[in-house]
Amino acid sequence: MFHVNHEPGAEIHHTDPFAVPTGQRSPVRRLRGRLAAPVTLWTAPGPAGLTVSSTLVAEGEPDRLVGLIDPESDFWAAAEEAGRFAVTPLGPPHRQLADRFAGLFPAPGGLFAADTWIETPYGPVPADAGGWAGCRLDTAREYGWGLLVEATIEAVDLTGEASPLLHYRGRYHELPG
């Protein structure tokens, strides 16, 4: 006989049954988890895209952008071939979009099938985003288990104020309003 819990929000487990036990977790991974990071969407012509939470912008002559990405991603293959890509800061309404491009949420019909997109020379960008940057790929090299990508920012389109979506300790957060 099955036991049915009629309480709202009932759970099967109180913790992640697949999580590495606390004493065996990498201290570097735990340190990284304590650093809040902006959630961005990197897209390239093709189209291809990837959720990235290791993006840094450096103002200068020229303005630059760096990030760590998965070298085996479809995004990297498309960006390397095109030599350019777009970077969009995501906001709190984009949690599902971020999960979809991170491979954590189903994408029936493909990654770009849902939502409304604006086509740019750098790759598609979400129509409801507060802005995006168009980047020319400069270099990339192995860095840890990722690929350190360096780019020159060639275009910036800021359409309005937008609150950031942050990644902290394995979860999404937003700034208090």
Side-chain angles (χ1 to χ4, degrees):
M1 178 151 207
F2 294 101
H3 172 72
V4 177
N5 185 345
H6 296 285
E7 295 293 317
E11 298 178 356
I12 296 173
H13 299 280
H14 295 289
T15 61
D16 180 353
F18 303 106
V20 175
T22 304
Q24 297 175 12
R25 294 182 189 154
S26 161
V28 172
R29 186 177 174 99
R30 290 174 56 216
L31 172 64
R32 185 183 72 200
R34 293 180 184 188
L35 301 173
V39 180
T40 60
L41 177 64
W42 291 31
T43 56
L50 182 67
T51 301
V52 179
S53 62
S54 59
T55 303
L56 182 66
V57 173
E59 191 177 2
E61 290 295 331
D63 299 318
R64 306 293 306 278
L65 180 135
V66 297
L68 287 170
I69 66 160
D70 178 356
E72 297 178 5
S73 65
D74 291 341
F75 163 78
W76 172 240
E80 187 177 34
E81 181 177 325
R84 63 191 188 281
F85 57 92
V87 174
T88 305
L90 298 181
H94 298 119
R95 291 171 189 249
Q96 195 175 89
L97 176 104
D99 278 348
R100 192 168 67 240
F101 279 85
L104 302 174
F105 196 82
L111 293 173
F112 294 90
D115 305 303
T116 304
W117 298 89
I118 297 171
E119 290 299 324
T120 78
Y122 301 93
V125 297
D128 64 344
W132 58 274
C135 301
R136 181 186 73 240
L137 178 62
D138 292 330
T139 64
R141 61 187 167 102
E142 288 183 17
Y143 206 80
W145 287 333
L147 192 66
L148 179 65
V149 174
E150 298 179 27
T152 298
I153 299 173
E154 294 185 330
V156 175
D157 183 353
L158 300 176
T159 57
E161 283 298 315
S163 295
L165 180 62
L166 303 174
H167 192 260
Y168 175 70
R169 298 192 89 164
R171 301 191 192 294
Y172 294 129
H173 295 271
E174 55 189 274
L175 295 176

